[in-house]
Amino acid sequence: MKWIISVHQKLLSFYLFFLVLIVWELAPRLGLVSNVFVPPFSRIVEAGVELGLANIFLYISISLKRVFVGFVLATVLALPLGFILAGAMPKLAEFLHPLTKFLSSIPPFILFPVFVIIIGIGEGGIYTVIFWSSFWPILFTTIAGIQNVDPLLIRSAKSMNASKLVIFTKVILPGASPTLITGLRTGLTMSFFMLIGSESMGADSGMGWMIHNAQSMGFVERIYLGAVMVAGVGLALNYVLEYLESAVLQWRQAPDSSNKAAA
């Protein structure tokens, strides 16, 4: 009986998901919605079978490659720049703040034609859009995370003659890590969202291109299939990020567990 309750509790959050799929399947068949514009879920599955598992994985892998390339480039540049501006040059960070806020407020899609003119149609424009989308949240959260580290901790480390490297690795970096992780999650999420739109504008492969091509050809089932693929990959990425965040920031749960043990 206990294992049944345990399984029930684990599946509790999936019941609504299964209910949505059931309603999706029955509503068009019962005439509650038009099956032309909202095909039953089984037809979406059939469209996936027709497309082929190999092609589905190919589109997903191409899209993920674009996301990670743009995201990694943004991370490699934004993190060190944020550390420098917040730690070594706070006055410069304050001076550049209005300009960076202005630039970050420009939607990437508006700049896409500019990127195409400068870089050209194809992978370069897509990578630039993804880079632009993820660079700013990573930069701003890095600066905020470094600036919000408790100054008392830094002064205490200096009073014990700790070197700058030790202060950075043992005090500043752990203190700012929750904000840094949040910025990385936000940057990756923005990268994924911008990917679909950029692929529909300047690509010949990937999930966004598949949705755009299906819309042009009138393949309604493939449009929904692409949406399901995007939602599934986004959900998987979210779970991976949550796992990595809990693994990296495991020390934050340590006091709670020790207090419970003491109690």
Side-chain angles (χ1 to χ4, degrees):
M1 182 62 68
K2 290 183 178 180
W3 68 270
I4 296 178
I5 297 176
S6 176
V7 171
H8 169 72
Q9 291 176 345
K10 291 181 179 179
L11 294 177
L12 192 60
S13 59
F14 291 94
Y15 289 156
L16 182 59
F17 175 75
F18 293 139
L19 179 61
V20 170
L21 293 183
I22 294 172
V23 172
W24 188 354
E25 177 68 24
L26 294 179
R29 296 190 180 277
L30 296 177
L32 300 178
V33 294
S34 173
N35 60 5
V36 175
F37 300 106
V38 184
F41 182 73
S42 58
R43 282 169 52 184
I44 312 302
V45 176
E46 291 175 4
V49 173
E50 292 176 1
L51 182 62
L53 195 60
N55 287 326
I56 290 176
F57 280 125
L58 177 62
Y59 292 148
I60 292 176
S61 62
I62 291 173
S63 294
L64 287 179
K65 183 197 74 170
R66 290 167 177 159
V67 166
F68 287 124
V69 168
F71 172 73
V72 169
L73 288 176
T75 302
V76 169
L77 290 177
L79 279 180
L81 183 59
F83 291 147
I84 293 172
L85 290 177
M89 302 178 180
K91 295 295 184 182
L92 180 60
E94 184 178 353
F95 175 75
L96 294 176
H97 183 72
L99 177 61
T100 54
K101 290 295 290 183
F102 172 77
L103 293 175
S104 65
S105 300
I106 303 176
F109 287 139
I110 295 179
L111 294 176
F112 189 80
V114 179
F115 296 151
V116 169
I117 294 173
I118 298 175
I119 302 174
I121 299 175
E123 298 296 306
I126 297 174
Y127 290 141
T128 306
V129 169
I130 296 172
F131 170 84
W132 185 273
S133 304
S134 56
F135 176 81
W136 300 110
I138 296 174
L139 176 64
F140 291 144
T141 53
T142 301
I143 294 175
I146 299 298
Q147 291 177 339
N148 290 333
V149 175
D150 191 351
L152 181 61
L153 298 177
I154 300 177
R155 288 197 295 267
S156 300
K158 288 181 178 180
S159 67
M160 293 183 286
N161 296 323
S163 64
K164 292 184 178 179
L165 180 61
V166 172
I167 292 175
F168 177 76
T169 57
K170 301 296 185 182
V171 178
I172 297 178
L173 199 56
S177 57
T179 307
L180 298 182
I181 295 295
T182 300
L184 292 174
R185 288 189 62 179
T186 304
L188 185 56
T189 302
M190 291 298 298
S191 299
F192 187 70
F193 285 152
M194 292 298 107
L195 164 79
I196 305 305
S198 61
E199 283 185 337
S200 65
M201 298 171 66
D204 56 1
S205 58
M207 292 186 291
W209 171 84
M210 189 191 82
I211 295 174
H212 178 70
N213 183 63
Q215 181 183 5
S216 302
M217 301 295 291
F219 297 150
V220 179
E221 288 82 2
R222 285 201 179 183
I223 296 176
Y224 283 95
L225 175 63
V228 170
M229 289 166 54
V230 171
V233 174
L235 183 63
L237 284 177
N238 185 63
Y239 278 125
V240 170
L241 290 173
E242 286 182 355
Y243 172 78
L244 292 177
E245 182 177 7
S246 62
V248 173
L249 302 180
Q250 190 175 11
W251 55 270
R252 290 198 302 177
Q253 281 76 34
D256 295 334
S257 60
S258 61
N259 289 339
K260 289 181 180 179

